[in-house]
Amino acid sequence: MKNVTITLTNILLTIGSGVIRHILLIKFKETAPQQEIEKLEGLFIDMPDKVEGVVSVEWGINDSPENKNKDYTHTVFMTFADEAGRQNYLPHPEHNALKQVFRPLLEDIIVFDYQV
């Protein structure tokens, strides 16, 4: 049994090694059409199927009762497999297409990445 535990520990360390989280806090313009925001959501959600190294994407709308979001209403939480995944995503044509939809809607954004 001890060998199984050691093997599982090694597997978990390998999976977690180098993973990068990419967090966006988004403030849309008041004039941003809901239809365009929904289109943007779909572009983000589809990213793992289109860009190698993007492991997962979550889209969320603020629902905190604390009222400390400073008018940031949406978030995107992306996971990259590693630094190579992030470097593949940033100049990727799918990311560039997403930005073409995103930028006209955007009032402000905070981008925060960290390695797990």
Side-chain angles (χ1 to χ4, degrees), residues 28 34 37 41 59-64 72-76:
F28 288 110
Q34 185 60 36
I37 293 172
E41 176 184 4
W59 173 273
I61 299 174
N62 179 55
D63 71 352
S64 173
Y72 290 85
T73 57
H74 292 70
T75 189
V76 174

Side-chain angles (χ1 to χ4, degrees), residues 31-64:
T31 57
Q34 185 60 36
Q35 182 179 5
E36 288 298 298
I37 293 172
E38 290 169 6
K39 176 180 177 181
L40 180 65
E41 176 184 4
L43 292 172
F44 272 112
I45 296 300
D46 290 344
M47 208 56 67
D49 295 329
K50 296 180 176 183
V51 180
E52 186 176 343
V54 178
V55 176
S56 65
V57 175
E58 294 178 42
W59 173 273
I61 299 174
N62 179 55
D63 71 352
S64 173

Side-chain angles (χ1 to χ4, degrees), residues 3 39 80:
N3 286 343
K39 176 180 177 181
F80 298 112

